[in-house]
Amino acid sequence: MMAFRRAPAPQRVSASWRQARGVASTSAIRSAEVVDEVSTPDTDASATAAQAPWHAPTDSLVWRHIGVTDEDTTEMLDVIGYGSLDELVDATVPEHLRVQEIEDLPELLGERQMLHEMVHIGSMNRVFRSFIGQGYYNCETPPVIKRGLLESPGWYTQYTPYQAEIAQGRLESLFNFQTMVSELTALPVSNASLLDEPTAAAEAMGICYVAGRGKKSDFLVDSNTHPQTIALLRSRAKAIGVNVVVRDLAELDFSSGTVCGVLVHYPGSDGRITKLDEVTAAAKEAKALVVCATDLLALTMIRAPGEFGADIAVGNSQRFGVPLGYGGPHAGFIAVQQQLARRLPGRIVGETIDASGKPAYRLALQTREQHIRRSKAVSNICTAQALLANTAAMYAVYHGPKGLRDIAGRVHGLATTFASAAVAGGHTLVHPEFFDTVAVRLNGITADEMVNRAAMQEMNIRKLDDSTVAVAVDETTLIADIAELGELFGASTLTHSSAAPESISKENARESDYLTQEVFNMYHSETEMMRYLKRLENKDVSLTHSMIPLGSCTMKLNAAVEMQAVTMSNFADIHPYAPDDQAAGYHLLFSETKDMLCKVTGYDEVSLQPNSGAQGELAGLMAIAGYHASRGDHQRNICLVPSSAHGTNPASAVMAGMKVVEVAVGSDGVISDTDLRAKCEAHSDNLAAIMITYPSTYGVFEEGVDELCELVHSHGGQVYLDGANMNAQVNLVQPGKIGADVSHLNLHKTFCIPHGGGGPGMGPIGVKAHLSPFLPKNPLTAGATDKPGDFASCGAPFGSSLITTISWAYMRMMGAHGLMNASKYAILNANYMMARLAPHYKIRFTGTHGRCAHEFIIDVAEFKEAAGIEAADIAKRLQDFGLHAPTVSWPLSTALMIEPTESESRTAMDEYCDALIEIRAEITEIIEGRYTKDNNVLKHAPHTLEATMSDRWERPYPRSKAAYPLPYLVGNKMWPTVSRVDDVFGDKNLKTKLAR
């Protein structure tokens, strides 16, 4: 880790800290925190000046990030029954687990200072013209999409569209994404995105293995596949028992009878376009599935995978308007034949009808989110890349089929022009048929020399072997770039015409049409596109409307200032495989981010590679497996998982090659000590790990977590602590100091990366020193995944690099004390809402002193028999208040789990509590017989404007009750655009793309 220029180590904020500085109010605490961390010369005069209010930044994020005022804090504590915030925290967090002294972070920056620092770090990156390709391309994000979607909080602060009625905008856009992928691949079913292309390929391999019923363990891979994809396939295959066989396309052999599938790359990684009908026929004869890794832009000009018999197509939609970002986030895609639809991982958006018979969108076949199947899962995919999928979908909508073909034609024309120049310079084309990537066998110069020559001209090209390079052209390439490349390759003149000859043979050329649906043919003016984007945004509840108090999901402020770097060219326009010396700013940012994460977690090392929380889980467990293997403990394959754990936990364990043994949880929500000891004893020789969440899944700081860690360690196991609830413990409890060996950290929760309507996520892992040798490896390092225990987590060496800038900015502007106060106020806000709701609802699972951590559970089981009301009914009724439901039916099927976060104001929390209290009164009306169990305001919720304004109103309650249940809604109403969706109809009549 790098060393920072640091101020003296700050001390833990406590009552004595306040008294020593004469600080009484919360705002003064915040102000003093800023002063405390400002580095000043070691003189008395400077020390005196440092205490002056004018010395601190006036634009500190700390007091803007935390939503409640000093007066609110005092009154809220009075409602809960405590005299100070520290007293509440002391009653909530076990004292013996508390951080004794906060480790110092770099000096705290105000917003303006942070932006200056970010610009400075960005200037250390050198943005060369990239001709590397290899699955990543420069592209143009149309400004109307950049401003109207990618930079719009109405799009990036949304949550996963589990509440369909108030998510119709992003669901429609994701439906467009599925249609786009399906049309271009000529396969009938696509999902709503995966994490990246290598992840999608690995998921496809899993489908093939399951389709072979585990009896066929060989998976053939075309050697002309991107190396990062091969690395991830090998990583995933080890754990599940699949044998990856990499061969030249001509040497693929299906005769063994043990082949479950084959992956072909089309166009190949070096640009080659090959007719694949014979390979497909051979696979079909062997009853093996065919996976085709492909390129969406190329598919506007070459035959689609579905047209030559592929069963599955995978790839990356990045070049459809999504910045390179040094590796991500980008939306991978997967499309399949109809018979494989129910084996697709991740999310599918389907069309259904609502209660009035009106068409509506919702997430279809939700049990296909494989992690829900827990230990029987074959995928742990939980999050996706919705924001980036929406960007790519809108790119296709904006350009339409003709625009995409024009872009592809221009790209291909420039590529053929370069190919002619390379031949004129005395070199040889490796493949005469290509789309955008030209492989050149060099004459009289080595590949290294040519790469270095290009770098001197600030151009990056790709080395294939010692005598061969590849040059990839994209939509940002200019004819001047081709001229410069031609000169580099020795051409004295450049032959170019607007009608450059195509290198694509007739047998490989696409003749079928695509994207004929209306949506891809009507929004081509910026005015219409701007209105379409806004129309969809207006259908969705996001953090721009109201609080989204989803337990375990931490929907906190994504400050605008934190988002700035995402579209800065010096961060956005760097290829993930650019040489390290061109990304010095990124590497400095990575080093600082890892150092800060280590300090707040107590871990010794961090890997930033996992590009979702679920992938972080898998990476952490694979690190544990590698550690045991290195010690010769190959038999250690048992993973203990509490029955209360999130479904990704057991799913990740299975994918890491472990066997899941469930541990009982008591009625108080605490892991059963008796059952845990029994399971540890029974599996002592084979125990690999236990997976726990802290604070617990039920939102409680369990007192004995350190003893649990000691027990598991005594039986030779490792402790995986799920970081989903880290927002309650930053700088209050350090997982690495209480006995945990590894945790994933949801940067899209605790560290302020936005959820993006269902992704991106980011789940780096922190580990203790003994596990650091087993962290994910760079997928492009030779042999990175060949040795036992070595693995890659995603396609890019540093995962979703671009959005790491957000978490770096958050931590630099909050500082050590600001991060701790964020945790304290998250605890305050949750306990305040719990106190307000306790007289009206049954509260489940509180700690020793009756307190919750950062979230709490209300159990509505009692209303089922008395009123016919379930958790889902309350969730739908909340939409009539303009509010998003809490987490529904988890971790109890009858529960609502509420997490307000530290960013919400007291006003927002009171409005939410008022809504739930009003709903409780409506339930009482049903219990008392005023309304029947099947005909009441909750059962008919949500109420659309259309339904409320209808000439016919035959419901037993007044329209005003349906539309404006509380006064504050008048003049401030967010209307659901559809009535309650019909899930059963949607699954029985599965429709995943727009009809032609």
Side-chain angles (χ1 to χ4, degrees), residues 54-82:
W54 47 263
H55 192 275
T58 57
D59 60 349
S60 170
L61 178 72
V62 179
W63 63 269
R64 295 177 175 178
H65 177 83
I66 295 173
V68 300
T69 67
D70 301 324
E71 293 75 16
D72 290 333
T73 300
T74 300
E75 294 174 6
M76 291 163 64
L77 286 166
D78 186 59
V79 171
I80 304 169
Y82 287 86

PDB file of all heavy atoms in Angstrom, residues 54-82:
ATOM      1  N   TRP A  54     -13.221  29.176   9.831  1.00  0.00           N
ATOM      2  CA  TRP A  54     -12.923  29.495   8.446  1.00  0.00           C
ATOM      3  C   TRP A  54     -11.821  28.620   7.851  1.00  0.00           C
ATOM      4  O   TRP A  54     -11.563  28.658   6.652  1.00  0.00           O
ATOM      5  CB  TRP A  54     -12.507  30.963   8.321  1.00  0.00           C
ATOM      6  CG  TRP A  54     -11.500  31.451   9.320  1.00  0.00           C
ATOM      7  CD1 TRP A  54     -11.756  32.119  10.476  1.00  0.00           C
ATOM      8  CD2 TRP A  54     -10.077  31.261   9.265  1.00  0.00           C
ATOM      9  NE1 TRP A  54     -10.584  32.369  11.159  1.00  0.00           N
ATOM     10  CE2 TRP A  54      -9.532  31.856  10.429  1.00  0.00           C
ATOM     11  CE3 TRP A  54      -9.205  30.663   8.368  1.00  0.00           C
ATOM     12  CZ2 TRP A  54      -8.172  31.859  10.708  1.00  0.00           C
ATOM     13  CZ3 TRP A  54      -7.849  30.669   8.639  1.00  0.00           C
ATOM     14  CH2 TRP A  54      -7.347  31.265   9.805  1.00  0.00           C
ATOM     15  N   HIS A  55     -11.143  27.819   8.673  1.00  0.00           N
ATOM     16  CA  HIS A  55     -10.080  26.964   8.162  1.00  0.00           C
ATOM     17  C   HIS A  55     -10.643  25.717   7.494  1.00  0.00           C
ATOM     18  O   HIS A  55      -9.998  25.113   6.642  1.00  0.00           O
ATOM     19  CB  HIS A  55      -9.138  26.580   9.309  1.00  0.00           C
ATOM     20  CG  HIS A  55      -7.863  25.938   8.846  1.00  0.00           C
ATOM     21  ND1 HIS A  55      -7.766  24.590   8.581  1.00  0.00           N
ATOM     22  CD2 HIS A  55      -6.637  26.467   8.588  1.00  0.00           C
ATOM     23  CE1 HIS A  55      -6.530  24.312   8.201  1.00  0.00           C
ATOM     24  NE2 HIS A  55      -5.828  25.416   8.190  1.00  0.00           N
ATOM     25  N   ALA A  56     -11.814  25.309   7.876  1.00  0.00           N
ATOM     26  CA  ALA A  56     -12.410  24.088   7.331  1.00  0.00           C
ATOM     27  C   ALA A  56     -13.120  24.386   6.011  1.00  0.00           C
ATOM     28  O   ALA A  56     -13.584  25.496   5.783  1.00  0.00           O
ATOM     29  CB  ALA A  56     -13.411  23.517   8.332  1.00  0.00           C
ATOM     30  N   PRO A  57     -13.225  23.400   5.123  1.00  0.00           N
ATOM     31  CA  PRO A  57     -13.982  23.607   3.881  1.00  0.00           C
ATOM     32  C   PRO A  57     -15.446  23.925   4.190  1.00  0.00           C
ATOM     33  O   PRO A  57     -16.057  23.295   5.055  1.00  0.00           O
ATOM     34  CB  PRO A  57     -13.858  22.256   3.170  1.00  0.00           C
ATOM     35  CG  PRO A  57     -12.695  21.574   3.797  1.00  0.00           C
ATOM     36  CD  PRO A  57     -12.649  22.053   5.204  1.00  0.00           C
ATOM     37  N   THR A  58     -15.994  24.900   3.503  1.00  0.00           N
ATOM     38  CA  THR A  58     -17.413  25.223   3.689  1.00  0.00           C
ATOM     39  C   THR A  58     -18.307  24.303   2.874  1.00  0.00           C
ATOM     40  O   THR A  58     -19.524  24.305   3.053  1.00  0.00           O
ATOM     41  CB  THR A  58     -17.685  26.683   3.286  1.00  0.00           C
ATOM     42  OG1 THR A  58     -17.271  26.872   1.922  1.00  0.00           O
ATOM     43  CG2 THR A  58     -16.938  27.643   4.190  1.00  0.00           C
ATOM     44  N   ASP A  59     -17.695  23.551   1.955  1.00  0.00           N
ATOM     45  CA  ASP A  59     -18.481  22.644   1.115  1.00  0.00           C
ATOM     46  C   ASP A  59     -18.229  21.189   1.505  1.00  0.00           C
ATOM     47  O   ASP A  59     -18.169  20.305   0.656  1.00  0.00           O
ATOM     48  CB  ASP A  59     -18.165  22.867  -0.362  1.00  0.00           C
ATOM     49  CG  ASP A  59     -16.689  22.634  -0.703  1.00  0.00           C
ATOM     50  OD1 ASP A  59     -15.882  22.502   0.240  1.00  0.00           O
ATOM     51  OD2 ASP A  59     -16.354  22.592  -1.901  1.00  0.00           O
ATOM     52  N   SER A  60     -18.085  20.953   2.801  1.00  0.00           N
ATOM     53  CA  SER A  60     -17.877  19.588   3.280  1.00  0.00           C
ATOM     54  C   SER A  60     -19.071  18.709   2.943  1.00  0.00           C
ATOM     55  O   SER A  60     -20.221  19.087   3.149  1.00  0.00           O
ATOM     56  CB  SER A  60     -17.658  19.596   4.794  1.00  0.00           C
ATOM     57  OG  SER A  60     -17.690  18.281   5.299  1.00  0.00           O
ATOM     58  N   LEU A  61     -18.786  17.535   2.436  1.00  0.00           N
ATOM     59  CA  LEU A  61     -19.865  16.595   2.123  1.00  0.00           C
ATOM     60  C   LEU A  61     -20.489  16.018   3.388  1.00  0.00           C
ATOM     61  O   LEU A  61     -21.652  15.603   3.371  1.00  0.00           O
ATOM     62  CB  LEU A  61     -19.330  15.457   1.249  1.00  0.00           C
ATOM     63  CG  LEU A  61     -20.345  14.370   0.877  1.00  0.00           C
ATOM     64  CD1 LEU A  61     -21.355  14.895  -0.132  1.00  0.00           C
ATOM     65  CD2 LEU A  61     -19.657  13.121   0.338  1.00  0.00           C
ATOM     66  N   VAL A  62     -19.753  15.981   4.497  1.00  0.00           N
ATOM     67  CA  VAL A  62     -20.197  15.263   5.693  1.00  0.00           C
ATOM     68  C   VAL A  62     -21.575  15.714   6.123  1.00  0.00           C
ATOM     69  O   VAL A  62     -22.481  14.897   6.338  1.00  0.00           O
ATOM     70  CB  VAL A  62     -19.182  15.444   6.844  1.00  0.00           C
ATOM     71  CG1 VAL A  62     -19.669  14.721   8.093  1.00  0.00           C
ATOM     72  CG2 VAL A  62     -17.811  14.911   6.442  1.00  0.00           C
ATOM     73  N   TRP A  63     -21.772  17.024   6.254  1.00  0.00           N
ATOM     74  CA  TRP A  63     -23.068  17.493   6.750  1.00  0.00           C
ATOM     75  C   TRP A  63     -24.125  17.496   5.658  1.00  0.00           C
ATOM     76  O   TRP A  63     -25.313  17.607   5.937  1.00  0.00           O
ATOM     77  CB  TRP A  63     -22.936  18.874   7.393  1.00  0.00           C
ATOM     78  CG  TRP A  63     -22.489  19.982   6.487  1.00  0.00           C
ATOM     79  CD1 TRP A  63     -21.216  20.385   6.253  1.00  0.00           C
ATOM     80  CD2 TRP A  63     -23.330  20.852   5.721  1.00  0.00           C
ATOM     81  NE1 TRP A  63     -21.194  21.442   5.373  1.00  0.00           N
ATOM     82  CE2 TRP A  63     -22.481  21.754   5.040  1.00  0.00           C
ATOM     83  CE3 TRP A  63     -24.714  20.956   5.539  1.00  0.00           C
ATOM     84  CZ2 TRP A  63     -22.959  22.744   4.188  1.00  0.00           C
ATOM     85  CZ3 TRP A  63     -25.193  21.944   4.686  1.00  0.00           C
ATOM     86  CH2 TRP A  63     -24.327  22.823   4.022  1.00  0.00           C
ATOM     87  N   ARG A  64     -23.708  17.362   4.401  1.00  0.00           N
ATOM     88  CA  ARG A  64     -24.692  17.245   3.322  1.00  0.00           C
ATOM     89  C   ARG A  64     -25.119  15.800   3.104  1.00  0.00           C
ATOM     90  O   ARG A  64     -26.219  15.536   2.632  1.00  0.00           O
ATOM     91  CB  ARG A  64     -24.103  17.817   2.024  1.00  0.00           C
ATOM     92  CG  ARG A  64     -23.848  19.316   2.116  1.00  0.00           C
ATOM     93  CD  ARG A  64     -23.214  19.874   0.871  1.00  0.00           C
ATOM     94  NE  ARG A  64     -23.096  21.327   0.949  1.00  0.00           N
ATOM     95  CZ  ARG A  64     -22.535  22.086   0.011  1.00  0.00           C
ATOM     96  NH1 ARG A  64     -22.050  21.517  -1.069  1.00  0.00           N
ATOM     97  NH2 ARG A  64     -22.470  23.385   0.157  1.00  0.00           N
ATOM     98  N   HIS A  65     -24.222  14.881   3.429  1.00  0.00           N
ATOM     99  CA  HIS A  65     -24.532  13.465   3.251  1.00  0.00           C
ATOM    100  C   HIS A  65     -25.480  12.960   4.332  1.00  0.00           C
ATOM    101  O   HIS A  65     -26.361  12.145   4.064  1.00  0.00           O
ATOM    102  CB  HIS A  65     -23.234  12.652   3.277  1.00  0.00           C
ATOM    103  CG  HIS A  65     -23.441  11.178   3.168  1.00  0.00           C
ATOM    104  ND1 HIS A  65     -23.606  10.535   1.958  1.00  0.00           N
ATOM    105  CD2 HIS A  65     -23.526  10.210   4.116  1.00  0.00           C
ATOM    106  CE1 HIS A  65     -23.790   9.243   2.173  1.00  0.00           C
ATOM    107  NE2 HIS A  65     -23.744   9.010   3.468  1.00  0.00           N
ATOM    108  N   ILE A  66     -25.303  13.419   5.562  1.00  0.00           N
ATOM    109  CA  ILE A  66     -26.157  13.002   6.681  1.00  0.00           C
ATOM    110  C   ILE A  66     -27.394  13.888   6.697  1.00  0.00           C
ATOM    111  O   ILE A  66     -27.284  15.115   6.704  1.00  0.00           O
ATOM    112  CB  ILE A  66     -25.384  13.074   8.007  1.00  0.00           C
ATOM    113  CG1 ILE A  66     -24.234  12.046   7.982  1.00  0.00           C
ATOM    114  CG2 ILE A  66     -26.301  12.822   9.191  1.00  0.00           C
ATOM    115  CD1 ILE A  66     -23.295  12.127   9.155  1.00  0.00           C
ATOM    116  N   GLY A  67     -28.569  13.270   6.713  1.00  0.00           N
ATOM    117  CA  GLY A  67     -29.794  14.009   6.423  1.00  0.00           C
ATOM    118  C   GLY A  67     -30.461  14.737   7.562  1.00  0.00           C
ATOM    119  O   GLY A  67     -31.256  15.646   7.316  1.00  0.00           O
ATOM    120  N   VAL A  68     -30.192  14.373   8.817  1.00  0.00           N
ATOM    121  CA  VAL A  68     -30.937  14.978   9.927  1.00  0.00           C
ATOM    122  C   VAL A  68     -30.175  16.153  10.523  1.00  0.00           C
ATOM    123  O   VAL A  68     -28.945  16.206  10.467  1.00  0.00           O
ATOM    124  CB  VAL A  68     -31.259  13.944  11.033  1.00  0.00           C
ATOM    125  CG1 VAL A  68     -32.111  12.813  10.481  1.00  0.00           C
ATOM    126  CG2 VAL A  68     -29.983  13.385  11.647  1.00  0.00           C
ATOM    127  N   THR A  69     -30.905  17.078  11.098  1.00  0.00           N
ATOM    128  CA  THR A  69     -30.301  18.254  11.730  1.00  0.00           C
ATOM    129  C   THR A  69     -30.012  17.973  13.199  1.00  0.00           C
ATOM    130  O   THR A  69     -30.414  16.953  13.763  1.00  0.00           O
ATOM    131  CB  THR A  69     -31.252  19.451  11.640  1.00  0.00           C
ATOM    132  OG1 THR A  69     -32.409  19.176  12.444  1.00  0.00           O
ATOM    133  CG2 THR A  69     -31.688  19.706  10.201  1.00  0.00           C
ATOM    134  N   ASP A  70     -29.341  18.928  13.843  1.00  0.00           N
ATOM    135  CA  ASP A  70     -29.058  18.795  15.276  1.00  0.00           C
ATOM    136  C   ASP A  70     -30.349  18.725  16.087  1.00  0.00           C
ATOM    137  O   ASP A  70     -30.482  17.914  17.001  1.00  0.00           O
ATOM    138  CB  ASP A  70     -28.240  19.986  15.763  1.00  0.00           C
ATOM    139  CG  ASP A  70     -26.930  20.103  15.018  1.00  0.00           C
ATOM    140  OD1 ASP A  70     -26.351  19.049  14.701  1.00  0.00           O
ATOM    141  OD2 ASP A  70     -26.503  21.236  14.748  1.00  0.00           O
ATOM    142  N   GLU A  71     -31.303  19.611  15.754  1.00  0.00           N
ATOM    143  CA  GLU A  71     -32.574  19.629  16.480  1.00  0.00           C
ATOM    144  C   GLU A  71     -33.312  18.306  16.285  1.00  0.00           C
ATOM    145  O   GLU A  71     -33.892  17.759  17.233  1.00  0.00           O
ATOM    146  CB  GLU A  71     -33.436  20.798  15.994  1.00  0.00           C
ATOM    147  CG  GLU A  71     -32.885  22.176  16.338  1.00  0.00           C
ATOM    148  CD  GLU A  71     -31.711  22.589  15.467  1.00  0.00           C
ATOM    149  OE1 GLU A  71     -31.504  21.964  14.394  1.00  0.00           O
ATOM    150  OE2 GLU A  71     -30.983  23.524  15.862  1.00  0.00           O
ATOM    151  N   ASP A  72     -33.279  17.801  15.030  1.00  0.00           N
ATOM    152  CA  ASP A  72     -33.911  16.510  14.751  1.00  0.00           C
ATOM    153  C   ASP A  72     -33.277  15.409  15.595  1.00  0.00           C
ATOM    154  O   ASP A  72     -33.968  14.558  16.159  1.00  0.00           O
ATOM    155  CB  ASP A  72     -33.763  16.148  13.271  1.00  0.00           C
ATOM    156  CG  ASP A  72     -34.608  17.021  12.370  1.00  0.00           C
ATOM    157  OD1 ASP A  72     -35.635  17.532  12.834  1.00  0.00           O
ATOM    158  OD2 ASP A  72     -34.231  17.183  11.193  1.00  0.00           O
ATOM    159  N   THR A  73     -31.963  15.421  15.663  1.00  0.00           N
ATOM    160  CA  THR A  73     -31.244  14.383  16.406  1.00  0.00           C
ATOM    161  C   THR A  73     -31.699  14.336  17.851  1.00  0.00           C
ATOM    162  O   THR A  73     -31.994  13.263  18.397  1.00  0.00           O
ATOM    163  CB  THR A  73     -29.731  14.635  16.335  1.00  0.00           C
ATOM    164  OG1 THR A  73     -29.310  14.610  14.965  1.00  0.00           O
ATOM    165  CG2 THR A  73     -28.959  13.570  17.116  1.00  0.00           C
ATOM    166  N   THR A  74     -31.781  15.501  18.476  1.00  0.00           N
ATOM    167  CA  THR A  74     -32.203  15.567  19.887  1.00  0.00           C
ATOM    168  C   THR A  74     -33.614  15.015  20.053  1.00  0.00           C
ATOM    169  O   THR A  74     -33.887  14.216  20.965  1.00  0.00           O
ATOM    170  CB  THR A  74     -32.144  17.016  20.388  1.00  0.00           C
ATOM    171  OG1 THR A  74     -30.794  17.492  20.258  1.00  0.00           O
ATOM    172  CG2 THR A  74     -32.569  17.114  21.838  1.00  0.00           C
ATOM    173  N   GLU A  75     -34.518  15.425  19.187  1.00  0.00           N
ATOM    174  CA  GLU A  75     -35.915  14.985  19.304  1.00  0.00           C
ATOM    175  C   GLU A  75     -36.067  13.507  18.984  1.00  0.00           C
ATOM    176  O   GLU A  75     -36.866  12.798  19.610  1.00  0.00           O
ATOM    177  CB  GLU A  75     -36.789  15.844  18.388  1.00  0.00           C
ATOM    178  CG  GLU A  75     -36.853  17.308  18.824  1.00  0.00           C
ATOM    179  CD  GLU A  75     -37.593  18.187  17.830  1.00  0.00           C
ATOM    180  OE1 GLU A  75     -38.154  17.633  16.862  1.00  0.00           O
ATOM    181  OE2 GLU A  75     -37.607  19.417  18.013  1.00  0.00           O
ATOM    182  N   MET A  76     -35.328  13.034  17.999  1.00  0.00           N
ATOM    183  CA  MET A  76     -35.395  11.616  17.641  1.00  0.00           C
ATOM    184  C   MET A  76     -34.859  10.737  18.765  1.00  0.00           C
ATOM    185  O   MET A  76     -35.430   9.684  19.077  1.00  0.00           O
ATOM    186  CB  MET A  76     -34.623  11.370  16.342  1.00  0.00           C
ATOM    187  CG  MET A  76     -35.281  11.982  15.098  1.00  0.00           C
ATOM    188  SD  MET A  76     -34.162  12.129  13.688  1.00  0.00           S
ATOM    189  CE  MET A  76     -33.798  10.413  13.341  1.00  0.00           C
ATOM    190  N   LEU A  77     -33.771  11.163  19.379  1.00  0.00           N
ATOM    191  CA  LEU A  77     -33.235  10.417  20.517  1.00  0.00           C
ATOM    192  C   LEU A  77     -34.230  10.383  21.666  1.00  0.00           C
ATOM    193  O   LEU A  77     -34.357   9.366  22.365  1.00  0.00           O
ATOM    194  CB  LEU A  77     -31.916  11.048  20.979  1.00  0.00           C
ATOM    195  CG  LEU A  77     -30.704  10.786  20.079  1.00  0.00           C
ATOM    196  CD1 LEU A  77     -29.551  11.724  20.441  1.00  0.00           C
ATOM    197  CD2 LEU A  77     -30.250   9.329  20.185  1.00  0.00           C
ATOM    198  N   ASP A  78     -34.962  11.475  21.837  1.00  0.00           N
ATOM    199  CA  ASP A  78     -35.979  11.515  22.894  1.00  0.00           C
ATOM    200  C   ASP A  78     -37.081  10.504  22.617  1.00  0.00           C
ATOM    201  O   ASP A  78     -37.580   9.841  23.532  1.00  0.00           O
ATOM    202  CB  ASP A  78     -36.550  12.937  23.001  1.00  0.00           C
ATOM    203  CG  ASP A  78     -37.497  13.075  24.185  1.00  0.00           C
ATOM    204  OD1 ASP A  78     -37.063  12.831  25.328  1.00  0.00           O
ATOM    205  OD2 ASP A  78     -38.676  13.423  23.956  1.00  0.00           O
ATOM    206  N   VAL A  79     -37.483  10.370  21.344  1.00  0.00           N
ATOM    207  CA  VAL A  79     -38.505   9.376  20.969  1.00  0.00           C
ATOM    208  C   VAL A  79     -38.016   7.969  21.281  1.00  0.00           C
ATOM    209  O   VAL A  79     -38.755   7.116  21.778  1.00  0.00           O
ATOM    210  CB  VAL A  79     -38.866   9.511  19.476  1.00  0.00           C
ATOM    211  CG1 VAL A  79     -39.751   8.343  19.021  1.00  0.00           C
ATOM    212  CG2 VAL A  79     -39.565  10.840  19.211  1.00  0.00           C
ATOM    213  N   ILE A  80     -36.735   7.711  20.997  1.00  0.00           N
ATOM    214  CA  ILE A  80     -36.166   6.384  21.235  1.00  0.00           C
ATOM    215  C   ILE A  80     -35.945   6.130  22.720  1.00  0.00           C
ATOM    216  O   ILE A  80     -36.053   5.004  23.202  1.00  0.00           O
ATOM    217  CB  ILE A  80     -34.831   6.218  20.463  1.00  0.00           C
ATOM    218  CG1 ILE A  80     -35.044   6.489  18.972  1.00  0.00           C
ATOM    219  CG2 ILE A  80     -34.258   4.820  20.651  1.00  0.00           C
ATOM    220  CD1 ILE A  80     -33.750   6.615  18.185  1.00  0.00           C
ATOM    221  N   GLY A  81     -35.584   7.212  23.432  1.00  0.00           N
ATOM    222  CA  GLY A  81     -35.354   7.085  24.864  1.00  0.00           C
ATOM    223  C   GLY A  81     -33.903   7.149  25.271  1.00  0.00           C
ATOM    224  O   GLY A  81     -33.500   6.505  26.255  1.00  0.00           O
ATOM    225  N   TYR A  82     -33.099   7.912  24.557  1.00  0.00           N
ATOM    226  CA  TYR A  82     -31.686   8.072  24.880  1.00  0.00           C
ATOM    227  C   TYR A  82     -31.317   9.550  24.929  1.00  0.00           C
ATOM    228  O   TYR A  82     -31.913  10.388  24.230  1.00  0.00           O
ATOM    229  CB  TYR A  82     -30.807   7.343  23.858  1.00  0.00           C
ATOM    230  CG  TYR A  82     -30.850   5.841  24.015  1.00  0.00           C
ATOM    231  CD1 TYR A  82     -31.851   5.093  23.405  1.00  0.00           C
ATOM    232  CD2 TYR A  82     -29.918   5.183  24.811  1.00  0.00           C
ATOM    233  CE1 TYR A  82     -31.923   3.721  23.567  1.00  0.00           C
ATOM    234  CE2 TYR A  82     -29.975   3.803  24.978  1.00  0.00           C
ATOM    235  CZ  TYR A  82     -30.977   3.078  24.359  1.00  0.00           C
ATOM    236  OH  TYR A  82     -31.034   1.719  24.535  1.00  0.00           O
TER     237      TYR A  82
END
